[in-house]
Amino acid sequence: MPGARVPEETAPQDAPAEPNGSLSAFTEEADAAAPPPDVSRRGGTFESFKYRDFTWFWSGALVSNVGTWMQTYALSIVVAAIHADPRQSSFDLGFVNFLAGIPVLFLALPAGVLADRMDRRKVLIWIQVVLLAQAAALGWLYNAGYLGASNATRTLGIVSALGLLGGVMSAFMAPAFQSMLPDLVPRPLMMNGIALNAAQFQSSRLLGPLVAAAFVLAGAGMGEIFYVNAASFLFVIAALAAVRARPGVADTHKQKTTAWESLTAGLKYARENRVVGMLIISTAIMTICGFPYMTLLPAIVKAALGATVKATLNRDVAFVMAANGAGALIGALGVASLPASFHKERVIPVTLLSFGVFLVGFSFARSLPVMMGLSLLAGISLMSTNSLANTSIQSAAPGPLRGRVMSLFVMAFIGIMPISGLVFGLLGERIGPTWAVFAGAIPLIGWAAYLMVRRDLLTPARAS
């Protein structure tokens, strides 16, 4: 609570700027118990896999995320079947997704404090245990007949409650997960590791629904898919258990602070570090103005292509969505291939501008091949911007503050998605989904152009 006293809080933001007390001195680095330095300088898209801890972490996350996307697929089918009216089903899906996503907006800051004060590995393990129990509960409830159209109110209530629980866990997981990545590879490979993790997430987004569909074709029910997701958490728990714990960072600058000061330390750092603050603002603008095109995708395809047959509409949406996922994967792997010396901040305005331009083209596209091509390019631009901004923020954030700084990035990229989706959904209802995408792209392009003119805003200050 605000005003409460906490034991010996680190305060790196108040540390001296010269030389032993510089903020960079607080940044944690992975140990070198892996390939020798000359190996890490050779480059390569998959260079971070030479480090066992990163490989374990990445592999466990991939299996778990495939299971999570399988559950997302199954849960959407369960929720859509609650009511026969498509309009009511749309509301049900939007409501459940809103409850699952909104906790990040309100809990990311305290989650960042938790990630900085506790062993991030242990925090992540316990969160996986809770999510395992949630998935197993969904499987049991579905197979026991508690989730179905026979009792719509009960089904929606149960799914919403479990979705909210999952959202709370995700809110606490995201800052710990993001801030743990730099501990697994040396600093020169941070961009490579973060981009490979983004590629992992995009791969799971493509694989999850496909694997779930294969299970259904093989005769499995939604309950079995929920159970498969529960089992997938065992892999990430085992992977996290295999990761060697890192020693804490030596901190000689300590002072007593209130809980409120601890909670807002990340905000203070982002306000004082111009580049970090601008990157977080840019991420938020990208999420608010650009990302809703994915939320509106079914309505956009229907309006642009005039698809009236349900099977045709579902096919077209799947193609456009798959193109976006493929683009995001290409963007992530492209960033992973860049050298450590690459000037990330100089390129971010260009990728952000490209994203806005591709969205303008997408809003006017009236053929499936053109929409797929522009969705692919938009995915490349979006994920390139996201990975580059993520890396820049992680590189700048001091180790003892990394969880709290990354909680701001999580809020900017994930936490406001439910709000932006709701706002642009209402806008699309009034002016049409394609015009809503166009309306969002214009301020995005304007902001990117402003950053290109004011390059100093994303230029790290030189040490004096």
Side-chain angles (χ1 to χ4, degrees):
M1 295 182 294
R5 306 298 293 182
V6 295
E8 296 296 316
E9 174 62 34
T10 60
Q13 66 274 24
D14 296 324
E18 294 289 331
N20 295 331
S22 65
L23 288 176
S24 61
F26 290 93
T27 306
E28 298 175 78
E29 295 189 22
D31 62 13
D38 61 320
V39 173
S40 66
R41 286 196 295 265
R42 292 177 186 171
T45 302
F46 305 102
E47 192 174 1
S48 293
F49 287 128
K50 297 169 183 173
Y51 296 82
R52 72 173 289 278
D53 287 352
F54 178 84
T55 302
W56 275 107
F57 189 77
W58 189 95
S59 302
L62 175 65
V63 174
S64 179
N65 280 331
V66 168
T68 298
W69 283 105
M70 290 176 66
Q71 176 167 298
T72 301
Y73 168 90
L75 199 59
S76 65
I77 292 177
V78 171
V79 173
I82 294 176
H83 291 101
D85 184 356
R87 290 173 296 181
Q88 183 62 45
S89 295
S90 297
F91 173 81
D92 293 343
L93 287 166
F95 180 70
V96 171
N97 288 329
F98 179 82
L99 286 180
I102 199 62
V104 175
L105 182 61
F106 297 101
L107 297 177
L109 284 180
V113 176
L114 187 69
D116 283 335
R117 289 192 172 186
M118 299 185 67
D119 185 330
R120 292 162 184 159
R121 186 175 64 97
K122 292 181 179 179
V123 169
L124 289 172
I125 288 175
W126 281 110
I127 289 174
Q128 308 313 305
V129 171
V130 176
L131 291 173
L132 186 157
Q134 180 230 30
L138 281 170
W140 181 83
L141 288 166
Y142 185 86
N143 287 344
Y146 289 101
L147 302 180
S150 58
N151 193 324
T153 303
R154 180 183 65 191
T155 298
L156 189 60
I158 292 174
V159 171
S160 298
L162 289 174
L164 182 62
L165 173 64
V168 171
M169 291 298 102
S170 295
F172 280 96
M173 178 173 65
F177 185 90
Q178 291 283 345
S179 57
M180 186 173 174
L181 276 171
D183 297 338
L184 307 179
V185 293
R187 281 183 61 82
L189 293 185
M190 189 184 298
M191 180 165 64
N192 180 263
I194 290 172
L196 285 177
N197 180 65
Q200 168 267 123
F201 182 81
Q202 295 304 324
S203 298
S204 67
R205 184 160 74 100
L206 293 173
L207 289 173
L210 292 176
V211 175
F215 268 81
V216 171
L217 291 175
M222 299 301 109
E224 283 66 41
I225 293 178
F226 293 140
Y227 282 136
V228 169
N229 182 43
S232 74
F233 287 109
L234 296 174
F235 286 88
V236 71
I237 290 172
L240 287 167
V243 171
R244 292 190 297 266
R246 305 287 179 185
V249 179
D251 180 14
T252 57
H253 302 280
K254 294 183 177 181
Q255 67 179 32
K256 291 183 179 294
T257 63
T258 66
W260 178 252
E261 290 169 334
S262 177
L263 185 68
T264 57
L267 285 168
K268 180 180 179 183
Y269 180 83
R271 186 175 65 249
E272 295 176 350
N273 187 304
R274 181 185 60 200
V275 174
V276 169
M278 294 304 294
L279 287 174
I280 291 174
I281 292 172
S282 298
T283 301
I285 291 174
M286 180 181 71
T287 301
I288 294 172
C289 299
F291 204 83
Y293 90 102
M294 287 299 297
T295 306
L296 299 173
L297 196 58
I300 294 169
V301 172
K302 185 175 182 180
L305 304 182
T308 55
V309 179
K310 184 177 180 181
T312 302
L313 175 63
N314 290 344
R315 181 205 64 193
D316 293 347
V317 170
F319 283 158
V320 176
M321 190 172 292
N324 178 262
L329 180 59
I330 293 170
L333 292 176
V335 173
S337 303
L338 296 173
S341 58
F342 185 78
H343 294 287
K344 303 175 288 295
E345 295 82 6
R346 295 180 184 177
V347 179
I348 288 173
V350 178
T351 58
L352 196 61
L353 178 65
S354 300
F355 183 42
V357 171
F358 292 140
L359 287 184
V360 170
F362 186 80
S363 68
F364 287 105
R366 294 298 181 267
S367 73
L368 181 60
V370 174
M371 294 188 77
M372 289 178 62
L374 288 168
S375 186
L376 176 80
L377 294 172
I380 293 174
S381 301
L382 170 64
M383 191 48 57
S384 297
T385 305
N386 179 265
S387 297
L388 291 170
N390 189 330
T391 305
S392 296
I393 295 171
Q394 295 252 32
S395 298
L401 274 180
R402 192 187 300 144
R404 280 166 284 187
V405 174
M406 289 311 297
S407 71
L408 299 176
F409 176 79
V410 169
M411 288 175 65
F413 186 57
I414 301 175
I416 59 180
M417 276 187 188
I419 304 294
S420 63
L422 184 63
V423 170
F424 274 82
L426 293 172
L427 182 63
E429 188 178 21
R430 286 184 172 272
I431 66 175
T434 57
W435 284 108
V437 172
F438 177 81
I442 297 305
L444 185 63
I445 291 173
W447 177 254
Y450 174 69
L451 292 179
M452 294 183 75
V453 173
R454 291 290 309 276
R455 290 185 176 274
D456 59 298
L457 296 176
L458 291 181
T459 302
R462 293 180 179 271
S464 57

